[in-house]
Amino acid sequence: MKIAVVTDSSANLSPQAAADYKITVVNDPIMFGNHVYHENEDITTDQFYRLLKVEKDIPTISQISMAEMQVVFDQLKAAGYDQVLVVGLSSGISGWVNNLKTYAPSVKGLDVQVFDSRTACAGTANMVKLAAAMALAGYAIEDIMTQLTRLRAATTTVLIVNSMRHLVKNGRIYNNSSLAGTMVLRNKPIITFNEHGKIQVLGKERTLKNAQQAVQESFSRFVITSQLPVRLDVISANDDAIAEDWASELRYQFPAVRVKTGAIGPLMGVLTGDHALGMIWSLDWKPLLTALNQERQR
């Protein structure tokens, strides 16, 4: 069976990674008032954060339509694919994944499977790349789903935001009872995805440095208890220099961990606002795949 892997643009895959792993990327829509933009199509990450500074209204997120997805499925079928695996943005943020699960049985001539990453940005991207690498290596879709479930269970996403306004406006915060303390001036709310993929408040600190230290302590506990190689992605919303400095510090403190940096793109930026900073840690999917290949050859 020839398996195509599809994801949405909120994963922030580079064009090179998408090409190398033959991943189809569908661009997410966002809305400023009544104007719809699509990530990477008619608005870049830099343009989004510039627009965020000057627009009066807080933007909102939308979702990819099933009509758009049908066009993608038709193209993949014409290209000779038998199965499609969609690895998407958390259903706790967007209804896209659940809509796809409902729509999938109606797609003619293709077996469409949908996997909810229950995270976003590099967290989703790591799962997508594992799925695509396994598909290229000839693994069955059931085996790919098993490993995606394993990787998802070992993935933690923690974000430090300047304000809860964007999350509240978009109705994407799970534990509203925790909001009062996080709205205080100069507080740095720390948010995470829970086991259901919903965003909830994890805590708050008075300064960015304190917030970074709190997140770093959680990551350190994961590294200490993990018996497998670990990957860390440091992501930022329009604060590349701070992210790079933090990543350099983390590389020094955790030399065995593969540390990468990346952006919080427009869709997630709608929810975090600018100057958000985060860490996404998980098992490193590359050694995980190497171990699977070695087991397969025995």
Side-chain angles (χ1 to χ4, degrees):
M1 294 289 240
K2 190 177 178 184
I3 303 171
V5 175
V6 177
T7 193
D8 66 288
S9 56
S10 70
N12 289 324
L13 282 176
S14 69
Q16 188 62 56
D20 289 346
Y21 293 104
K22 301 188 185 307
I23 299 165
T24 299
V25 179
V26 188
N27 294 313
D28 287 294
I30 61 170
M31 298 182 68
F32 276 93
N34 294 323
H35 195 110
V36 179
Y37 296 91
H38 287 80
E39 279 189 315
N40 306 323
E41 188 174 319
D42 46 27
I43 190 168
T44 66
T45 298
D46 287 343
Q47 288 170 340
F48 167 77
Y49 285 112
R50 285 200 296 270
L51 195 58
L52 195 62
K53 290 180 186 299
V54 299
E55 283 284 340
K56 179 181 177 181
D57 295 327
I58 291 175
T60 55
I61 65 173
S62 186
Q63 61 181 277
I64 302 159
S65 71
M66 293 304 102
E68 291 174 276
M69 291 307 303
Q70 186 59 58
V71 172
V72 173
F73 295 144
D74 289 343
Q75 291 170 343
L76 293 172
K77 182 182 176 183
Y81 288 97
D82 308 293
Q83 294 180 303
V84 177
L85 174 56
V86 182
V87 182
L89 172 69
S90 175
S91 61
I93 290 178
S94 169
W96 180 59
V97 160
N98 286 335
N99 287 345
L100 263 177
K101 287 180 179 179
T102 301
Y103 184 77
S106 69
V107 179
K108 293 180 173 57
L110 281 176
D111 173 24
V112 178
Q113 301 291 322
V114 184
F115 185 83
D116 182 354
S117 72
R118 296 181 191 165
T119 184
C121 303
T124 304
N126 291 333
M127 297 178 206
V128 172
K129 286 184 278 191
L130 173 61
M134 290 184 70
L136 290 173
Y139 284 87
I141 201 164
E142 294 80 12
D143 295 329
I144 299 173
M145 295 284 270
T146 296
Q147 295 306 319
L148 286 178
T149 302
R150 178 186 183 189
L151 183 58
R152 181 176 65 188
T155 297
T156 299
T157 301
V158 184
L159 299 166
I160 304 164
V161 297
N162 274 339
S163 168
M164 301 298 293
R165 291 173 60 243
H166 292 261
L167 285 161
V168 172
K169 168 73 174 179
N170 280 272
R172 295 308 196 277
I173 189 71
Y174 176 63
N175 50 343
N176 286 296
S177 60
S178 300
L179 288 179
T182 63
M183 302 296 279
V184 178
L185 185 64
R186 292 195 305 273
N187 265 354
K188 295 291 183 181
I190 303 172
I191 61 174
T192 190
F193 288 86
N194 66 18
E195 67 272 19
H196 304 295
K198 294 181 181 293
I199 295 176
Q200 67 180 47
V201 177
L202 192 61
K204 60 182 182 292
E205 295 290 341
R206 294 294 292 176
T207 67
L208 176 60
K209 197 66 181 176
N210 288 348
Q212 287 177 273
Q213 186 59 41
V215 176
Q216 194 167 313
E217 287 172 3
S218 294
F219 170 64
S220 180
R221 290 192 290 271
F222 178 80
V223 173
I224 290 169
T225 56
S226 179
Q227 298 179 343
L228 295 170
V230 172
R231 174 185 172 123
L232 171 65
D233 290 273
V234 179
I235 59 174
S236 67
N238 205 28
D239 262 329
D240 294 348
I242 293 177
E244 290 291 347
D245 287 347
W246 198 13
S248 295
E249 179 183 332
L250 291 162
R251 289 186 187 104
Y252 178 78
Q253 294 190 25
F254 303 95
V257 175
R258 188 155 66 106
V259 181
K260 299 289 184 179
T261 57
I264 297 173
L267 185 136
M268 276 302 294
V270 167
L271 301 180
T272 66
D274 60 356
H275 303 302
L277 191 63
M279 290 173 60
I280 300 175
W281 59 85
S282 63
L283 299 180
D284 193 338
W285 70 267
K286 284 190 173 181
L288 187 62
L289 180 59
T290 299
L292 289 172
N293 288 337
Q294 289 172 346
E295 290 176 11
R296 193 186 196 190
Q297 292 168 4
R298 288 177 189 152

